[in-house]
Amino acid sequence: MTSKRSKLSRTLAAVAITACSLFSASSTVAAQAGAPAAWECGEWSFCIYSGAGGTGSRLEMRDGVYDLGGVGGGVLDNNVHSVKNISGDAWCLYDYMGYEGLLTRIQDSYTGPISASIGEKVTSVQAC
């Protein structure tokens, strides 16, 4: 009886660890998935990318992000090298979390690079 309980306990523990690993992996992938094609971005969205030319990790937004360090493992915090704005509004990139320290304003319909001097400072983003 004890060996059956022990085996069941080990099996349940393995299932729990696997479930936690899958949850963590899927959360990370969803938040920072690299686009299979450059410039992937949903309709009426503002997208930021870690790579040049709309490549690398991507975050698609319709609302602002108060602190990029708290999203997708923080891979885009101080690491924005290109943007695509098809939101219908201008978006602002900020140096500090909480939308402080305006770095630049991205006009609607802009798709392109962000200078390294700005992209390596971006910590929060919102429509402005």
Side-chain angles (χ1 to χ4, degrees):
M1 187 80 155
T2 303
S3 105
K4 285 184 181 180
R5 282 188 187 160
S6 178
K7 185 176 180 180
L8 178 60
S9 294
R10 285 192 305 267
T11 301
L12 290 175
V15 168
I17 290 168
T18 301
C20 287
S21 297
L22 289 174
F23 176 75
S24 295
S26 66
S27 295
T28 301
V29 170
Q32 63 183 353
W39 302 114
E40 183 176 327
C41 190
E43 189 175 1
W44 301 106
S45 297
F46 179 74
C47 295
I48 59 175
Y49 309 86
S50 63
T55 62
S57 296
R58 171 181 59 91
L59 181 61
E60 182 174 306
M61 298 168 274
R62 292 192 178 162
D63 295 315
V65 175
Y66 185 85
D67 179 13
L68 287 171
V71 177
V75 297
L76 287 161
D77 188 28
N78 300 312
N79 190 29
V80 175
H81 295 284
S82 53
V83 300
K84 182 172 185 175
N85 186 0
I86 52 174
S87 68
D89 296 309
W91 278 70
C92 290
L93 309 180
Y94 298 92
D95 194 4
Y96 305 105
M97 66 180 183
Y99 317 117
E100 298 290 330
L102 178 66
L103 292 167
T104 193
R105 183 180 171 104
I106 308 296
Q107 295 301 319
D108 183 42
S109 301
Y110 177 78
T111 297
I114 297 295
S115 73
S117 63
I118 291 174
E120 293 173 359
K121 294 180 180 180
V122 178
T123 300
S124 60
V125 180
Q126 74 173 347
C128 55

